[in-house]
């Protein structure tokens, strides 16, 4: 009889404990700031002993980095954004309009988690050199992701003929930025769905040759004049 591997209950408990601590820390960091939040408060919010927090994360800096990384990924799996299924599926869309729809939706889900903590990263990095060192100078990882999306986008048949990868990447990087997301969703009280519709529409108009036709609102190719 084939042996069925039983789930590791201890590992699952550890995973759940880690997730509770990260979520509690995220809530407190967003509500009252990195500097004002103690590990004891995190432990109390998570319902664990403070020694458990120290055992899992060692210190607040490591916990903060984990909060940021988990917010970007949406889970604790060590998988880069460009290797995520949603990103690969978006790039595999046969049209630019389809890719933008999927890409804006996936990016919006990330921004909903990440945008609120972006100001915390800047503040914490300015006051703690060891935190700043966790995000060294160099190419912005967010731009790297958007550049990869742009490379796939410009190969689609419905992009603007003159569109370059650099131009597409710049527009994706700018319009899908955490800063702009916060202006609309936090400061102007837009819903995430309203922001998503606006971002998709804006990018489609900038990057696609004929958004109306590409969206399927025409049944066939545009009519040609008698002389064309």
């Amino acid at each position: 009889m084939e042996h069925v591997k039983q789930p590791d209950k201890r590992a699952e408990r550890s995973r759940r404990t880690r997730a509770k601590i990260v979520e509690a820390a995220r809530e407190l960091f967003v509500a009252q700031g990195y500097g004002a939040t103690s590990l004891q408060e995190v432990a109390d919010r998570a319902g664990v002993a403070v020694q458990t927090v120290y055992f899992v994360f060692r210190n607040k800096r490591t916990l903060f980095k984990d909060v940021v990384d988990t917010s970007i990924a949406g889970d604790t799996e060590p998988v880069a954004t460009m290797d995520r299924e949603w990103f690969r599926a978006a790039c595999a869309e046969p049209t630019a309009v389809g890719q933008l729809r999927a890409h804006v939706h996936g990016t919006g889900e990330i921004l909903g988690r990440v945008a609120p903590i972006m100001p915390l990263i800047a503040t914490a990095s300015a006051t703690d050199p060891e935190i700043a060192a966790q995000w060294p100078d160099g190419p912005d990882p967010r731009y790297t992701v958007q550049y990869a999306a742009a490379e796939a986008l410009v190969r689609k048949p419905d992009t603007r003929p003159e569109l370059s990868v650099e131009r597409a990447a710049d527009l994706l990087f700018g319009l899908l930025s955490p800063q702009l997301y916060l202006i609309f969703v936090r400061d102007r009280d837009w819903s995430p769905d309203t922001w998503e519709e606006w971002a998709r529409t804006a990018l489609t108009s900038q990057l696609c040759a004929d958004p109306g036709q590409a969206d399927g609102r025409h049944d066939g190719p545009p009519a040609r004049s008698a002389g064309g």
Side-chain angles (χ1 to χ4, degrees), residues 94-158:
T95 65
V97 167
Q99 180 181 343
L100 287 171
R101 182 181 293 110
H103 185 74
V104 171
H105 178 74
T107 303
E109 292 189 337
I110 293 176
L111 289 174
R113 299 187 300 264
V114 172
I117 65 175
M118 292 301 290
L120 302 179
I121 297 175
T123 301
S125 298
T127 58
D128 189 331
E130 291 190 39
I131 286 183
Q134 295 180 4
W135 287 278
D137 293 335
D140 189 321
R142 196 171 64 79
Y143 184 80
T144 301
V145 170
Q146 301 300 357
Y147 193 91
E151 287 184 308
L153 190 77
V154 299
R155 294 195 292 266
K156 305 297 165 63
D158 52 330

Side-chain angles (χ1 to χ4, degrees), residues 69 72-74 77-88 103 106-107 110 113 141-142 144-146:
D69 291 345
I72 294 171
E77 297 299 318
V79 180
T81 298
M82 289 185 293
D83 293 326
R84 294 267 165 178
E85 179 59 32
W86 75 266
F87 184 86
R88 289 179 175 272
H103 185 74
T107 303
I110 293 176
R113 299 187 300 264
R142 196 171 64 79
T144 301
V145 170
Q146 301 300 357

